[in-house]
Amino acid sequence: MENRINRRKFLQVSAAAGLASSMIKSGKAHAAKDGKVRVGFTGVGNQGTNLLETSLAMQDIEVPAICDINKDNLSHALDLVEKSGRKRPEGYSADPEDYRRMSEREDLDAVLTATPWELHVPVMVDAMNKGKYACTEVPAAYTVEGCWDLVETSERTGMPMMMLENHCYQLNNTAVLQMVRAGLFGELLHGECGYQHDVRYLGGKEGKIGANGELLWRGKHAITRNGDLYPTHGLGPVAHWMDINCGDQFHYLTSAATISRGMNTEIAKRFGKNHPNATREYALGDVVTTVIRTRLGRTITINHDTQSPRPYSNMTKIQGTKGLYVELNRSVYFEDLSPEMHRWEPFDAYEKKYEHPMWTAWQKISATFGHGGTDYLKLRSFFDAVKDRNPVPIDVYDAVAWSVISPLSEKSIANGSAPVEFPDFTKGKWKTRKPCFGV
Amino acid sequence: MENRINRRKFLQVSAAAGLASSMIKSGKAHAAKDGKVRVGFTGVGNQGTNLLETSLAMQDIEVPAICDINKDNLSHALDLVEKSGRKRPEGYSADPEDYRRMSEREDLDAVLTATPWELHVPVMVDAMNKGKYACTEVPAAYTVEGCWDLVETSERTGMPMMMLENHCYQLNNTAVLQMVRAGLFGELLHGECGYQHDVRYLGGKEGKIGANGELLWRGKHAITRNGDLYPTHGLGPVAHWMDINCGDQFHYLTSAATISRGMNTEIAKRFGKNHPNATREYALGDVVTTVIRTRLGRTITINHDTQSPRPYSNMTKIQGTKGLYVELNRSVYFEDLSPEMHRWEPFDAYEKKYEHPMWTAWQKISATFGHGGTDYLKLRSFFDAVKDRNPVPIDVYDAVAWSVISPLSEKSIANGSAPVEFPDFTKGKWKTRKPCFGV
């Protein structure tokens, strides 16, 4: 099986010579002869296991190899594959870089990572260097250098990398995408989004705080980093609606953070006010607000709010010259369509009317899987791309444009909300590239 | 009647030697002997007429003089007073500065302005210089110099100036104020607010665009100014909740504006695409987003959105270490109180339980007046302060701190979202002043 992506197709997306996406099935000549996709998994903790189980429900997916330094997680994952009726995969846990040995395997078409954030870039770079399709959980990277590593490796090797941003696949967000493309909003002006999720204590195994008040890997980021550490859930859909990297581009941002209180209060409440993690200092402000301005003069507000008591929300909003959509009250208003002037109308009928074909096709299957079915959809998109040697629908340029919010917001906050310019990871190609998600 | 405010009381508020507000009726010795307040009105267009009618419904208010350069408006206003059973006021319309002649009158206790924005500062400065209580519609000023003029005049003359920000008096916002003061939110972290109101065409007499596509005074600001031109409706309540000028202070802001489309499209739609105002350029971006950081490390996002098709909204939100309130879905969540973890509960019961005493006292009367009763409440607060020679509840420091958002946001936008520091109009007194609104 020829692993390198069809070069002509890659250029089509990169330089916008044409449309290409996982939904265009023109590359079947390159698919594996038995119609299967062979994926190596790296990181099978909570989300990695979710993704593995979802993948195992697809008959055309094989999992010959799994890597996790945590032997309990690894063993559980190997069992899952075996129980699904497949051959027990080979496990890799010899050392923290054993993913490099796994990716040497000739039989892998793709490598997926759901490791802690620190490992996303090294695992992806290694996978692409070995000629594998690569896909990573969010965020793809959290340093500017890491972003460049991903882009340069993908360009040099010709291997696509996908970021598994499930929010782009949500029923509501894909319907809004169709509405944007149908022109209902007119010219887009402004978006709002965020990640508003109290992830301090989620049972002790995930989130920021462990069962004894120790800091899990996600919590450790809060000690030294002050910025929007998790921007892609909110931003992904808005970036697609605004054709970021395909006609528009993020130009600069400013960020501001509040004081940090939530980690201290939560640990004090659960583990006593003298627990060392209840009294230490955390850099991460409880609420971080970032405002992006794009090259075409649109704005996007992003909210990061992960350590205060609150219901989950994304507060998504998109507004154009003809109307707007607001997620929180599930409402829209369109100047030319809404029955009453300046009155909200329910989103429901629009969501139904503009249901994206990917949902129409996959709804019954996907709805039983994680994150409202979006885990199924994002994996299916990736696997289809691998199978057909197509470009991926959320590619390396999307991945880094959305992920780089983190280090840029940290820089802005450290400099009193000074504006920070985005690197042009596309090197000018954003002007002519065409959208490749959900087309 | 001694017009100058009781000096001791002014210092109480200014330097926080104690509590003082319109609700503290300790200064009655200074009230006019007949218990009446005599107010001169400047500007009786739409909102000026609303305020006049509301004032005339109060038996203790006399209106001996009215100034408006527009003779139709003036005549209508004089008629209104006469029809209310009062003596026909003297009218002032000799020239654009005839308010200076009106304020010479010995019989006026106070001067109120509801003129176009340009006249707020000159009318207020003149009134205070003549020893009158002064009150202005929003915004109080739209230049930094204008803000300083108001502060320095009030300090030099000892005369209080109130800004008539009705949103501070809303039933929901005053209930939230009580909830903040009762500690439900814990330590405040972050607020969001805005003015989201399509004011392009409001029948041709108010708003931005006149009946023939000409630009009304409000529309003319859109030609040259790009910033948050109308910040106080959203910001006022949030500033009160956060004790701005009474323990905390705005430190700096950044602003970003979208492209400008809404004025052109609206005029083209209503008056043809060749109308000169349909083809001209407007500086004002359709959506302007401002983020403030305070001295205590809180943040506030303000949205200005006045020329796009949309339902009216303020999108108010306040969040603390223990919970939050969101206006759009009329919901709250409090860690220690809400029945279900991480689930919204309706605001209704809280709004009732924490109803502010001013509403309990005035609800039946005020509800029949403009802007949901808030026009009544704000005027009543002002008149009570005048009557009792008390400080005013939304004073000159509040007025300028909220109004100065406009010029500072213009400066930030002109400099690519660079952060802009707030002047300290209180000259350090914010650290020790005590709240005087709704206490």
Side-chain angles (χ1 to χ4, degrees), chain A residues 251-265:
Chain A
H251 186 185
Y252 54 83
L253 63 71
T254 59
S255 293
T258 67
I259 41 176
S260 184
R261 294 286 186 268
M263 290 295 286
N264 301 98
T265 54

Side-chain angles (χ1 to χ4, degrees), chain A residues 187-190 192 196-202 252 254-262 265-266 269-270 286-287 289-293 296-299 301 303 305 308-313 315 317 319-324 326 328-329 332-336 341-344 413 415-419, chain B residues 187-190 192 196-202 252 254-262 265-266 269-270 286-287 289-293 296-299 301 303 305 308-313 315 317 319-324 326 328-329 332-336 341-344 413 415-419:
Chain A
E187 185 180 5
L188 293 188
L189 296 166
H190 176 69
E192 295 179 15
Q196 304 174 326
H197 189 189
D198 182 359
V199 294
R200 288 175 296 179
Y201 188 83
L202 301 175
Y252 54 83
T254 59
S255 293
T258 67
I259 41 176
S260 184
R261 294 286 186 268
T265 54
E266 182 74 1
K269 194 178 82 175
R270 291 186 182 273
D286 289 344
V287 181
T289 305
T290 298
V291 181
I292 299 174
R293 195 167 193 276
L296 296 190
R298 296 151 172 170
T299 53
T301 306
N303 190 288
D305 171 3
S308 293
R310 60 161 302 131
Y312 182 91
S313 179
M315 300 275 183
K317 174 174 150 184
Q319 182 169 15
T321 54
K322 293 185 171 182
L324 76 167
V326 177
L328 184 66
N329 61 352
V332 293
Y333 175 73
F334 296 109
E335 187 172 40
D336 301 332
M341 188 172 170
H342 292 171
R343 292 262 171 209
W344 296 114
I413 289 167
N415 289 289
S417 297
Chain B
E187 185 180 5
L188 293 188
L189 296 166
H190 176 69
E192 294 180 16
Q196 304 174 325
H197 189 188
D198 182 0
V199 294
R200 288 175 296 180
Y201 187 83
L202 301 175
Y252 55 84
T254 59
S255 293
T258 67
I259 41 176
S260 185
R261 294 287 185 268
T265 54
E266 182 74 2
K269 194 178 81 175
R270 291 186 182 273
D286 289 344
V287 180
T289 305
T290 298
V291 181
I292 300 175
R293 195 166 193 276
L296 296 190
R298 295 152 172 169
T299 53
T301 306
N303 189 288
D305 171 4
S308 293
R310 59 161 303 129
Y312 182 91
S313 179
M315 300 273 183
K317 173 174 149 184
Q319 182 169 15
T321 53
K322 293 184 171 182
L324 76 167
V326 177
L328 184 67
N329 61 352
V332 293
Y333 175 73
F334 296 110
E335 187 173 38
D336 301 332
M341 188 173 170
H342 292 171
R343 291 263 170 208
W344 296 113
I413 289 167
N415 289 288
S417 297

Side-chain angles (χ1 to χ4, degrees), chain B residues 99-355:
Chain B
Y99 60 86
R100 296 183 189 280
R101 197 162 59 90
M102 182 180 85
S103 60
E104 296 287 346
R105 294 176 66 110
E106 289 286 333
D107 63 347
L108 292 183
D109 302 311
V111 169
L112 180 154
T113 183
T115 53
W117 302 339
E118 292 80 359
L119 283 165
H120 290 177
V121 171
V123 171
M124 292 293 93
V125 165
D126 173 71
M128 289 186 278
N129 276 331
K130 306 274 174 60
K132 314 298 184 197
Y133 266 71
C135 84
T136 177
E137 261 298 338
V138 300
Y142 63 88
T143 65
V144 176
E145 299 69 29
C147 289
W148 277 118
D149 284 351
L150 294 174
V151 169
E152 285 166 359
T153 306
S154 181
E155 289 179 346
R156 177 172 43 75
T157 61
M159 292 311 305
M161 189 202 84
M162 176 160 168
M163 185 168 72
L164 295 171
E165 180 40 72
N166 62 303
H167 284 239
C168 296
Y169 289 90
Q170 284 178 196
L171 183 65
N172 53 356
N173 290 336
T174 50
V176 172
L177 180 69
Q178 299 295 83
M179 292 160 69
V180 168
R181 289 178 178 170
L184 268 68
F185 294 90
E187 185 180 5
L188 293 188
L189 296 166
H190 176 69
E192 294 180 16
C193 58
Y195 183 66
Q196 304 174 325
H197 189 188
D198 182 0
V199 294
R200 288 175 296 180
Y201 187 83
L202 301 175
K205 284 194 171 171
E206 50 182 335
K208 297 187 181 187
I209 302 165
N212 299 304
E214 76 280 16
L215 295 177
L216 304 179
W217 63 267
R218 200 166 174 174
K220 287 177 185 163
H221 284 270
I223 301 173
T224 53
R225 299 177 61 205
N226 191 11
D228 186 330
L229 305 190
Y230 209 58
T232 71
H233 281 341
L235 188 57
V238 178
H240 279 153
W241 300 335
M242 288 193 181
D243 285 337
I244 298 302
N245 292 333
C246 313
D248 197 1
Q249 194 185 41
F250 299 144
H251 186 185
Y252 55 84
L253 63 70
T254 59
S255 293
T258 67
I259 41 176
S260 185
R261 294 287 185 268
M263 291 295 286
N264 300 98
T265 54
E266 182 74 2
I267 294 171
K269 194 178 81 175
R270 291 186 182 273
F271 305 101
K273 63 183 168 52
N274 296 320
H275 190 289
N277 288 331
T279 55
R280 77 181 306 158
E281 218 172 287
Y282 295 88
L284 182 61
D286 289 344
V287 180
V288 175
T289 305
T290 298
V291 181
I292 300 175
R293 195 166 193 276
T294 75
R295 294 274 172 189
L296 296 190
R298 295 152 172 169
T299 53
I300 306 169
T301 306
I302 321 174
N303 189 288
H304 180 262
D305 171 4
T306 59
Q307 52 195 35
S308 293
R310 59 161 303 129
Y312 182 91
S313 179
N314 295 113
M315 300 273 183
T316 307
K317 173 174 149 184
I318 187 76
Q319 182 169 15
T321 53
K322 293 184 171 182
L324 76 167
Y325 159 74
V326 177
E327 184 188 40
L328 184 67
N329 61 352
R330 277 186 65 79
S331 293
V332 293
Y333 175 73
F334 296 110
E335 187 173 38
D336 301 332
L337 299 171
S338 294
E340 273 190 276
M341 188 173 170
H342 292 171
R343 291 263 170 208
W344 296 113
E345 58 168 325
F347 175 56
D348 300 28
Y350 290 88
E351 191 176 47
K352 193 158 188 182
K353 180 173 177 188
Y354 290 92
E355 183 176 274

